[in-house]
Amino acid sequence: MAQPNDSAPGGRLYIVSTPIGNLEDITLRALRILKEADLVCAEDTRVTGRLLAHYQIKNTLLSYHSYNEAARIPQILNYLKEGRQIALVSDAGTPGISDPAHKLVKAAIAAGAPVEPLPGPTASIAALVASGLPTDRFVFEGFLPRKKGRQTRLKFLSEEPGTIILYESAPRIQKTIEDIVKNFGNRYIVISRELTKKFEEFIRGDAGEVLQTLKTRSLKGEIVLLIAGTEYRHLTPLQRES
Ligand code: SAM
């Protein structure tokens, strides 16, 4: 079996995925790196502090979030230059996926520091694989723009052949599905809610039908919204089920 290269000397940046709800969803390697790293950079140090405490891990936490990343990057690059092992986590899931990480990763690469991913949970892929929609071709769109560029983006996405993955908040889901009906027509969609948590739920159906459901009940919690791509339309009912 190939050996992980995380025993090489010198500073190294680890991009560590953490649970999106169920605390059991963390790899043995993630736990080891969170323990052994010289420093854990975390979006909200209280959130990561609770995760570390759950696994009885004691380590130094440094806040790294979208508001302070410009100031933090030179500091973290210095630590890497000094040979320190840095673990980067976000509040949940994979850093860099609708969470800060990208700027630091780019800066570390430019500075010649090795960057190593520790794969694990991300709500996008968990939602996709359980949605029942095609997984062979998909696009991840993160959060839609709230105002400027929103309708243009939706129009563009309405031509997308693969499954579309969006992040959305519960208070905005109804409005977003109304926009989908407007731009995509009555396309098949899946709402994936509270993945890996106690009230995990999938609501599947044509957008118009799901919209009616939402008029009778309001959703809470975290949501991934999946929209069937244009290729899905051409599948026969038998192909959709097989
Ligand atoms: N980095 C995270 C990841 O890898 O999935 C995403 C962080 S983003 C700031 C937060 C959004 O991810 C939420 O608003 C929701 O759309 C989605 N999300 C995160 N956890 C989720 C869960 N347990 N169930 C459903 N959606 C979730």
Side-chain angles (χ1 to χ4, degrees), residues 8-37:
R12 190 170 289 260
L13 177 65
Y14 297 95
I15 310 300
V16 183
S17 298
T18 58
I20 56 167
N22 189 324
L23 290 185
E24 287 179 340
D25 293 334
I26 189 156
T27 68
L28 297 175
R29 186 162 167 241
L31 291 175
R32 178 173 64 77
I33 294 295
L34 289 173
K35 197 168 162 186
E36 291 177 358

Side-chain angles (χ1 to χ4, degrees), residues 20 90 92-94 97-99 121-124 143 167-168 192-197 222-224:
I20 56 167
S90 61
T94 301
I97 303 300
S98 293
D99 270 339
T122 172
S124 53
F143 292 96
Y167 282 168
E168 193 46 283
S192 316
R193 193 175 73 84
E194 293 289 88
L195 290 162
T196 77
K197 302 187 208 176
E222 297 191 282
I223 290 172
V224 181

